[in-house]
Amino acid sequence: MSFTVLIPARLASTRLPNKPLADIAGQPMVVRVAERAEQSGAAQVLVATDAPEIAAACADHGVRALLTRADHPSGSDRLAEACEQLGLKGDDIVVNVQGDEPLIDPALIDAVAGLLSKRSPAQMGTAAHAIESIEEFTNPNVVKVITDAQGLALTFSRAPLPWWRDGFAGGITQLPTAPAPLRHIGLYSYRAAFLRAFPRMAPAPLEQCEALEQLRALWHGHRIAVHIASAAPGPGVDTPEDLERVRRLWA
């Protein structure tokens, strides 16, 4: 199976300025992400950015980069333009690896890419892993996903899912066991034709309420296949504290 990894990266970040260029053991973070992606089965790995500084840093380290427009409202829009620049065919598979995931597991990338050939109804693929603590379960920054019997997403939410009607009557003191709660991992695969069409779909009310872009696909009747990983992925980088933690793990 052939697929392309695209890594969206931009300099603007409110909590960690110039995040893609943050140093991790002597190399920019976006380069570290690309190196991990290149260990997957991807036919090609490219960074899609609107910043010449990021493109130059990639070139300095032998990573391919595409310069895209600066007015894209989301990473999906940026990747849609990258698909056009690359001339990808409609059935070609694209994996969106976030540019702040320097510890991403290459095997997880392969698994999410493979979902679309195994589950034909799906236009998107993603991943999740078991939630093991009440703190995660109740944290609105931890996105939860519920799947059907075929492993296709029913919904995503920041709220605790599933809601155990009887078990939570006195408050959330333990996790539900059937079905077990799942934490969504922000890694996506798409068919290129769907990725091009996605930014043109009207935003969904539920998407805007939850601030979860993937709900737009479900709202418009598209299916998302979910790979259940055996363990949580390595931590991503969103804050200066996250960056220091990743640096320590890398060392």
Side-chain angles (χ1 to χ4, degrees), residues 2 47 103 128 156 224 245:
S2 177
V47 172
L103 299 177
F156 299 81
I224 303 175
R245 178 172 56 162

Side-chain angles (χ1 to χ4, degrees), residues 182-196:
L182 296 172
R183 177 176 186 160
H184 177 234
I185 300 170
L187 175 69
Y188 297 99
S189 58
Y190 319 79
R191 292 186 174 85
F194 178 81
L195 180 53
R196 290 189 184 101

Side-chain angles (χ1 to χ4, degrees), residues 93-176:
I93 292 175
V94 175
V95 178
N96 175 358
V97 175
Q98 296 301 313
D100 55 6
E101 297 284 348
L103 299 177
I104 188 72
D105 183 359
L108 185 60
I109 296 173
D110 289 337
V112 170
L115 286 172
L116 299 184
S117 60
K118 297 174 183 175
R119 302 181 195 171
S120 57
Q123 293 296 324
M124 289 177 61
T126 191
H129 67 86
I131 290 176
E132 298 181 347
S133 73
I134 292 173
E135 290 74 21
E136 271 195 321
F137 187 62
T138 57
N139 185 347
N141 294 316
V142 173
V143 178
K144 295 83 180 177
V145 59
I146 295 288
T147 67
D148 65 13
Q150 285 73 48
L152 300 173
L154 291 172
T155 193
F156 299 81
S157 181
R158 298 182 182 277
L161 286 178
W163 186 263
W164 190 5
R165 186 194 65 177
D166 298 330
F168 294 161
I172 302 176
T173 59
Q174 57 183 317
L175 295 175

Side-chain angles (χ1 to χ4, degrees), residues 30-49:
V30 69
V31 171
R32 291 298 188 191
V33 176
E35 288 176 341
R36 298 288 285 182
E38 287 168 352
Q39 295 174 38
S40 73
Q44 54 183 346
V45 174
L46 302 99
V47 172
T49 183

